[in-house]
Amino acid sequence: MIKAITGTNDILSEDSYKWRELEKLVNEIMSLYNYKEIRTPIFEETALFSRGIGDATDIVSKEMYSFIDRSGVSLTLKPEMTASVARAFIEHSLDKKQSLSKLYYISPMFRQERPQAGRFRQFHQFGAEAIGSQSPLLDAEMIIIAYDIFARLGLTNLKVKINSLGVTESREVYKEKLKEYLRPHFNNLSEDSKKRFDINILRIFDSKDDRDQSIMKEAPLLMEYLDDVSLEHFNTVKKVLENSNVPFEVDPKLVRGLDYYCHTTFEIISGSVGSQSALCGGGRYDGLIEQLGGKPAPGVGFAAGIERLLLACKNENVFDVKEEPLDVYIILLDSELKSDAFEAMLELRREGFKADADYLTRSIKAQMREANKFNSRFTLFVGGDEYKNGEYLLKNMSEGNQFLFKTSDMKGLIKKIRE
Ligand code: HAM
């Protein structure tokens, strides 16, 4: 028996309606903020991600689904969208079409992580990227968009964490300070952190190892080394969030796991989903476009994990949307009338009603059970004495009352269903 690959999920019809409603909400909110949808291929050249996200990051060094195709090129299933959007921005010279590109997406992503609750190998993100402006208003806007969507879902157990990584120059000065501080502790660091010491020292803040954590408690913070411009940028972001009624806290240790960030980084954490608690993450990436070979263009964005969001909704008992019931279920009393019943059903569907019937020639009892299962508002009986008299019997399933209509009077029948 062939099964789905570990860490991937089938979204069955009980859930797919919820997914569609969530996607509808994302489309609606993105449109309010004037972001336009972008769709990019599922796979890209591996070099895009290694150059864009950074060779030393966990995503690139451990988690990518990469393969060599028949022409010998290394390809990778996209682990995130920012690099792909940046590639498309450069490839299509989007800067020439619009001074600021405001783009959003909803798409599957792939990372070979150890699966657990809220962490999958194929998962789905929606997110936004604004490329072409350094305005701190956009950093704040990203956080507000995510927060608005989460609030519309009804989520409340949320914590917005923000930080600033400043510009490269001050970050490099700080990295040296951090190295100086860590050198005497080097032998006590975990093996992972020892490796990060040279290649990605900021990420030691993310270590879950107890000893690492106690060493990092006393470490100097990047915030203390920010230059004036970075501080002003960060202060504006904070002020806008305050004025927009988005509660947040500054977490000076929030470095995030991708290399392209500068200035603002942020995450929104849920207290309702266990250890994989980041519902979204994002930040500013002013050097990415240039690093990928484009003309310098600053950018900022975020992405949210749909599986985690829906898990948070389930655990908080919110966004419990259910598909609309059927309008009409046809009960066929006489199997010879199959085609007549089908035609009537088709007419109802073409009038915009959700209608269905039994295709398995089952008993009337079984058909009634089916109508109840679909919560159908009406049942339409085709056959029996009524049909011999040239009539349909329509039954309102919640009130129990019945109506007769001439088979030639579909208009009357439709009017009744519409009432
Ligand atoms: P990220 O923090 O790697 O950022 O992912 C964003 C969100 O995707 C996470 O907060 C989480 O909700 C979800 N996510 C990540 N990995 C998994 C997984 N294995 N299973 C389930 N959900 C997952 C980025 O991807 C950046 N591209 C965000 C960004 C956009 N920064 C700037 N623009």
Side-chain angles (χ1 to χ4, degrees):
M1 163 67 195
I2 297 172
K3 293 198 168 153
I5 291 161
T6 311
T8 67
N9 295 300
D10 296 313
I11 300 159
L12 301 181
S13 50
E14 309 92 75
D15 289 328
S16 57
Y17 178 74
K18 212 172 256 189
W19 278 70
R20 268 203 330 266
E21 288 299 299
L22 173 67
E23 286 161 9
K24 237 193 257 169
L25 176 66
V26 171
N27 288 322
E28 180 196 326
I29 303 264
M30 292 296 181
S31 149
L32 292 177
Y33 284 83
N34 200 25
Y35 284 72
K36 310 282 182 204
E37 194 188 7
I38 180 166
R39 301 186 189 203
T40 66
I42 289 291
F43 55 97
E44 300 264 7
E45 272 191 44
T46 301
L48 171 67
F49 302 115
S50 50
R51 235 193 283 165
I53 304 170
D55 280 325
T57 60
D58 283 354
I59 296 181
V60 173
S61 65
K62 300 186 198 160
E63 297 167 1
M64 292 206 302
Y65 278 103
S66 301
F67 59 97
I68 307 288
D69 82 350
R70 286 169 204 275
S71 55
V73 184
S74 178
L75 303 175
T76 294
L77 303 184
K78 60 184 171 191
E80 61 111 48
M81 270 295 275
T82 313
S84 297
V85 172
R87 196 246 332 119
F89 175 87
I90 300 167
E91 192 166 336
H92 302 285
S93 306
L94 295 187
D95 57 330
K96 297 216 176 76
K97 295 191 178 135
Q98 212 121 42
S99 51
L100 175 63
S101 292
K102 294 172 77 173
L103 303 165
Y104 83 96
Y105 47 82
I106 306 175
S107 175
M109 306 290 157
F110 306 86
R111 296 184 194 175
Q112 191 162 6
E113 298 197 72
R114 199 168 41 77
Q116 62 181 88
R119 188 161 74 187
F120 305 102
R121 290 181 167 176
Q122 173 170 341
F123 60 98
H124 299 74
Q125 289 183 341
F126 65 81
E129 314 289 345
I131 307 179
S133 164
Q134 261 174 331
S135 169
L137 291 178
L138 284 169
D139 305 35
E141 183 165 288
M142 292 298 166
I143 300 170
I144 296 167
I145 292 175
Y147 194 79
D148 274 7
I149 292 176
F150 298 176
R152 279 281 295 273
L153 291 171
L155 291 172
T156 48
N157 196 359
L158 299 173
K159 202 178 265 179
V160 179
K161 289 184 174 185
I162 65 169
N163 187 23
S164 173
L165 302 182
V167 295
T168 316
E169 294 75 25
S170 51
R171 205 160 52 247
E172 289 310 315
V173 173
Y174 165 73
K175 279 184 187 169
E176 280 312 310
K177 292 280 170 208
L178 188 57
K179 267 193 184 155
E180 263 171 45
Y181 166 79
L182 282 176
R183 242 177 230 118
H185 301 284
F186 186 83
N187 289 334
N188 294 325
L189 287 173
S190 67
E191 287 311 308
D192 259 359
S193 292
K194 277 182 187 155
K195 275 187 220 144
R196 285 173 170 166
F197 184 85
D198 279 321
I199 55 174
N200 204 352
I201 193 163
L202 293 184
R203 291 278 286 153
I204 300 181
F205 279 113
D206 282 346
S207 170
K208 300 274 182 291
D209 183 281
D210 287 344
R211 275 195 307 179
D212 288 352
Q213 282 190 354
S214 72
I215 294 170
M216 295 313 277
K217 245 187 212 145
E218 305 295 321
L221 294 172
L222 176 50
M223 195 62 77
E224 294 153 13
Y225 291 83
L226 287 188
D227 57 288
D228 289 346
V229 175
S230 300
L231 267 179
E232 197 186 317
H233 186 101
F234 193 48
N235 285 335
T236 309
V237 175
K238 288 194 287 186
K239 205 179 306 143
V240 176
L241 290 178
E242 271 159 19
N243 295 341
S244 315
N245 295 322
V246 174
F248 66 90
E249 59 188 60
V250 175
D251 176 356
K253 294 183 176 166
L254 182 71
V255 294
R256 307 239 329 117
L258 302 96
D259 276 1
Y260 48 61
Y261 290 120
C262 62
H263 288 294
T264 320
T265 54
F266 63 90
E267 284 185 353
I268 302 184
I269 306 293
S270 165
S272 310
V273 292
S275 67
Q276 298 305 305
S277 59
L279 297 186
C280 80
R284 181 161 277 284
Y285 47 88
D286 291 348
L288 178 64
I289 302 289
E290 192 178 6
Q291 198 171 325
L292 292 174
K295 267 198 284 143
V300 62
F302 82 95
I306 296 182
E307 286 83 355
R308 279 187 205 174
L309 262 181
L310 290 177
L311 182 63
C313 289
K314 188 168 164 231
N315 293 349
E316 289 192 28
N317 253 323
V318 295
F319 195 59
D320 190 18
V321 288
K322 297 254 178 346
E323 192 151 10
E324 294 281 304
L326 273 187
D327 293 309
V328 188
Y329 193 87
I330 313 277
I331 308 284
L332 188 65
L333 302 175
D334 178 349
S335 62
E336 267 153 43
L337 295 173
K338 228 179 233 167
S339 319
D340 300 45
F342 191 80
E343 274 164 35
M345 178 167 72
L346 214 52
E347 196 165 340
L348 291 172
R349 287 171 172 169
R350 287 177 172 161
E351 280 294 324
F353 296 115
K354 288 173 68 163
D356 206 359
D358 173 49
Y359 292 82
L360 305 173
T361 331
R362 282 183 292 188
S363 68
I364 297 170
K365 213 165 138 196
Q367 294 183 58
M368 287 303 286
R369 234 184 287 127
E370 201 72 353
N372 283 325
K373 203 166 101 192
F374 287 118
N375 238 335
S376 191
R377 291 169 50 228
F378 290 92
T379 40
L380 183 71
F381 294 81
V382 179
D385 289 341
E386 288 84 5
Y387 201 80
K388 277 187 206 130
N389 295 333
E391 287 172 329
Y392 289 129
L393 179 78
L394 181 74
K395 183 174 176 187
N396 182 319
M397 296 295 279
S398 56
E399 292 163 12
N401 41 0
Q402 304 184 350
F403 313 89
L404 284 169
F405 290 94
K406 287 266 166 257
T407 51
S408 55
D409 182 23
M410 278 306 268
K411 273 212 179 90
L413 182 84
I414 283 163
K415 202 166 146 224
K416 184 77 210 154
I417 300 171
R418 201 160 268 150
E419 264 172 18

